[in-house]
Amino acid sequence: MKKNVLILLITLTGFITTGLAQDGERLQALKIAYLTKKLDLSPEEAQRFWPIYNQYTTDIRTIRQEQKQKNGTEIEVEEKILNVRKKYSSELTKALSPDKVNTFFRSEKEFGNIIQRELQERRMERQMNKKDLRGQ
């Protein structure tokens, strides 16, 4: 399992390095692959889980788009997202065990952290490269 996650992270690094992470579809595909590995879903669980997940991501995306349009406060947005997570927590328990639901939310957060760290490292590398070029 850890080997598969490591391979996924290496793949993710490659996507970010080549600038493809800006492509939302590819990033979403990486997230789905990451969640698939972390949740280790049976075919029956997958059949029940993915439609709920797709609606969940649509609802989260809608909240984030509304925030951009309305310039809502960060606390308001986070509260709305929390309410969606609570709603889908109960929906997901119909498809998965409570442990897997917790693993889903934890893994989703981990994936976001991985992306943030990777992007931050890339920014720092670019800054260092710029400084090196100026110094020559």
Side-chain angles (χ1 to χ4, degrees):
M1 180 72 157
K2 287 184 181 183
K3 184 178 178 182
N4 291 335
V5 172
L6 179 62
I7 291 169
L8 180 64
L9 291 177
I10 290 168
T11 303
L12 174 62
T13 301
F15 274 97
I16 290 174
T17 301
T18 60
L20 295 176
Q22 294 174 356
D23 182 351
E25 288 179 21
R26 287 195 173 102
L27 189 57
Q28 185 65 18
L30 286 171
K31 184 177 182 181
I32 288 169
Y34 184 81
L35 292 173
T36 298
K37 295 289 183 197
K38 287 292 211 167
L39 292 174
D40 192 28
L41 300 173
S42 71
E44 296 81 21
E45 288 173 323
Q47 190 175 14
R48 293 186 310 258
F49 171 76
W50 290 113
I52 297 169
Y53 171 80
N54 291 335
Q55 187 59 50
Y56 165 79
T57 57
T58 299
D59 288 358
I60 296 291
R61 193 175 306 120
T62 299
I63 290 169
R64 293 193 192 283
Q65 288 171 347
E66 287 174 358
Q67 181 221 11
K68 288 178 184 175
Q69 293 171 352
K70 295 180 182 178
N71 260 348
T73 67
E74 187 64 24
I75 291 175
E76 291 171 340
V77 171
E78 290 301 318
E79 185 176 25
K80 287 179 183 179
I81 289 172
L82 177 60
N83 288 335
V84 168
R85 290 172 58 111
K86 287 178 181 178
K87 171 187 169 187
Y88 281 94
S89 178
S90 64
E91 288 293 316
L92 288 166
T93 55
K94 296 174 186 173
L96 305 174
S97 70
D99 285 342
K100 283 194 177 184
V101 172
N102 283 330
T103 299
F104 162 69
F105 286 117
R106 200 171 32 253
S107 298
E108 186 181 45
K109 186 178 271 187
E110 286 172 6
F111 183 81
N113 290 339
I114 291 168
I115 296 297
Q116 284 182 330
R117 272 194 310 269
E118 189 65 36
L119 290 174
Q120 186 176 21
E121 287 175 16
R122 299 295 169 194
R123 279 188 216 112
M124 289 178 71
E125 284 179 21
R126 280 195 304 267
Q127 289 174 350
M128 295 296 282
N129 289 338
K130 285 181 183 179
K131 287 181 183 178
D132 289 344
L133 290 174
R134 288 182 199 149
Q136 292 179 354

